[in-house]
Amino acid sequence: MRSNWVLNHFYDTLKKHNAGYLVLIDPEQCEVEKCAKLAREVERSGADAILLGGSFLTNDLDPIAKALKQETQLPIVLFPGDSMHLTPYADAILYISLISGRNPNYLIGEQVKAAPWIQRHALKPIPTGYMLIEGGSRTAVEFMSGTIPIPRDKPDIAGPHALAAEYLGMQMVYLEAGSGAAHPVPDEMISTVKNQISIPLIVGGGIRTPKIAAEKVAAGADFIVTGNVLEENGSLELMQDFADAVHG
């Protein structure tokens, strides 16, 4: 059962466009003013929500989240690397369990630490099965979590993991090739996973062009995430092209 307005917004996006476009803002990669400017451009581009977070954070999230809220009406959704990556100024949090790995700290440990804080600040959790997929290079999240990605040529492994996430009551599945991945999640893996689940499927990592984004949607992705490509080549026009490609 859909339990919060941000999740409802995601479902409404799928009804309207068939697929949605999410922009990831990494607080380590931009100061407050730059993040605020980017938020304005994200909304103008036609994107559907902003993810805020990263694998390794040293910056205070509060001022950045406050600035984003002042500059955009889009939902601000935390994308935490651990239980310290929290702020009450977001609208919701992807309550991630790293189900592709076997490190208990990222399966349940960090989630237990964060749960009382999330309840106290009435942040809306979206339980999400998070799966690392081999992307051709070692990523920050792989290093920080101490887990091994699912091989990119093993969709038969990814599918049951995603199905288990749905059976455990998770509300979304996220296939992640990793920030700055050499290769995005393969189309075959996306299709295999999508055919086994009925909950929304997010795909991110290594998606460098609108054409690739459209291909991932055609393969079965419900939401596309871009981050690094915008940090490297960011512009309003590029985000508009991504939004158009994803929305079809």
Side-chain angles (χ1 to χ4, degrees), residues 12 123 136 144 182 221:
D12 289 343
L123 199 62
M144 295 300 295

Side-chain angles (χ1 to χ4, degrees), residues 36-37 39-40 43 66-73:
K37 178 178 181 293
R40 292 193 297 270
E43 182 164 357
K66 283 182 182 179
L68 297 183
K69 290 295 293 179
Q70 290 173 353
E71 298 297 336
T72 178
Q73 297 297 311

Side-chain angles (χ1 to χ4, degrees), residues 37-227:
K37 178 178 181 293
L38 179 56
R40 292 193 297 270
E41 293 184 342
V42 171
E43 182 164 357
R44 289 177 59 197
S45 75
D48 301 296
I50 292 173
L51 300 184
L52 178 63
S55 300
F56 184 74
L57 298 182
T58 58
N59 289 342
D60 184 0
L61 277 177
D62 286 358
I64 293 176
K66 283 182 182 179
L68 297 183
K69 290 295 293 179
Q70 290 173 353
E71 298 297 336
T72 178
Q73 297 297 311
L74 292 176
I76 308 299
V77 183
L78 291 182
F79 181 45
D82 63 34
S83 58
M84 299 295 290
H85 300 173
L86 302 171
T87 174
Y89 301 104
D91 297 303
I93 180 172
L94 292 185
Y95 198 56
I96 290 169
S97 180
L98 183 51
I99 61 171
S100 61
R102 299 298 182 267
N103 183 340
N105 191 49
Y106 290 95
L107 279 168
I108 187 63
E110 294 297 318
Q111 295 80 357
V112 171
K113 293 177 187 176
W117 188 99
I118 292 170
Q119 183 183 54
R120 184 165 62 251
H121 292 280
L123 199 62
K124 300 296 185 183
I126 302 175
T128 302
Y130 188 61
M131 300 166 61
L132 293 183
I133 310 301
E134 180 189 0
S137 58
R138 196 172 190 197
T139 62
V141 65
E142 178 185 347
F143 178 82
M144 295 300 295
S145 67
T147 63
I148 299 172
I150 294 175
R152 58 187 292 103
D153 62 347
K154 299 295 183 182
D156 55 320
I157 294 177
H161 277 75
L163 185 59
E166 180 171 355
Y167 285 170
L168 284 167
M170 297 180 187
Q171 294 173 314
M172 303 186 90
V173 167
Y174 194 143
L175 299 183
E176 172 72 277
S179 178
H183 308 291
V185 178
D187 292 351
E188 182 184 0
M189 183 169 287
I190 295 170
S191 298
T192 298
V193 168
K194 184 59 180 176
N195 286 336
Q196 294 200 32
I197 61 174
S198 61
I199 55 178
L201 176 61
I202 306 172
V203 177
I207 300 174
R208 292 184 170 83
T209 68
K211 180 177 182 295
I212 293 174
E215 291 169 353
K216 302 309 167 187
V217 171
D222 294 301
F223 291 93
I224 296 295
V225 179
T226 63

Side-chain angles (χ1 to χ4, degrees), residues 234-246:
S235 71
L236 174 59
E237 291 75 17
L238 179 58
M239 285 189 285
Q240 288 173 330
D241 288 345
F242 270 110
D244 290 344
V246 171

